Amino acid sequence: MKKTYKIDVDCANCANKMEVAAKNTPGVKDATVNFMTLKMAVEFEDGSDHKAVMDEVLKNCKKVESDCEIFL
């Protein structure tokens, strides 16, 4: 399953950090952050609970960029 989320991030470098953090979250197969459109596309592993995974993605992104936001 693939979903797209609106994000709030200040710079392209921060967006890159968020992308890496999302990709390293268990349950995420792949993730892409587009700074220009302020969107994050997340592909989930089969059988994963996308809501629980996105809660973890947000926690991981806040570790690297404390003022980021993902609108779930």
Side-chain angles (χ1 to χ4, degrees), residues 43-57:
E43 185 176 354
F44 299 95
E45 292 179 355
D46 293 336
S48 63
D49 177 8
H50 69 275
K51 290 180 183 178
V53 171
M54 283 309 295
D55 286 341
E56 290 302 312
V57 167

Side-chain angles (χ1 to χ4, degrees), residues 3-5 7-8 12 14 17 21 29-31 34-35 38 41-43 47 50-53 56 63 65 68 72:
K3 290 187 150 254
T4 302
Y5 300 91
I7 61 169
D8 184 21
C14 301
K17 290 179 184 179
K29 191 173 191 178
D30 193 25
N34 186 320
F35 175 67
L38 295 177
V42 180
E43 185 176 354
H50 69 275
K51 290 180 183 178
V53 171
E56 290 302 312
K63 287 178 188 174
E65 205 52 54
C68 73
L72 305 176

